[in-house]
Amino acid sequence: MPRIKCHYIDCVFLDEGYCSAAAVEIDPDTGCATYSPSDEAAEKWEEEEEEAEWEEDEAEEDDDAWDEEDEDEF
């Protein structure tokens, strides 16, 4: 059975640097379609996405404040 060296560090199928999935699907454009992040990695990504959303919302509020000040000048 061939062994596939995996470069993902957070995949649930990772076993000592090699893929342990029963079947592996590789897409030439997107990479490994079998990749599935571990629970820890998924939680970390969700936290980072939430933080990014908060930062975007705060940036939009700051932009709105600047727009209102600009309108008052005219």
Side-chain angles (χ1 to χ4, degrees):
M1 175 180 203
R3 294 176 57 173
I4 299 171
K5 178 79 172 157
C6 181
H7 294 281
Y8 290 106
I9 58 173
D10 60 345
C11 184
V12 296
F13 298 111
L14 188 63
D15 184 25
E16 297 181 11
Y18 292 93
C19 184
S20 64
V24 177
E25 183 178 346
I26 304 292
D27 183 305
D29 296 325
T30 60
C32 182
T34 309
Y35 167 73
S36 180
S38 65
D39 291 337
E40 292 175 8
E43 289 174 7
K44 183 178 179 181
W45 286 354
E46 289 174 6
E47 290 173 4
E48 290 175 358
E49 288 177 359
E50 288 177 12
E51 290 174 7
E53 288 175 8
W54 279 102
E55 290 172 359
E56 288 176 8
D57 290 345
E58 291 174 356
E60 288 176 7
E61 290 173 5
D62 290 344
D63 289 344
D64 291 342
W66 283 101
D67 290 342
E68 290 173 5
E69 290 177 9
D70 290 343
E71 290 175 5
D72 292 341
E73 292 177 5
F74 294 111

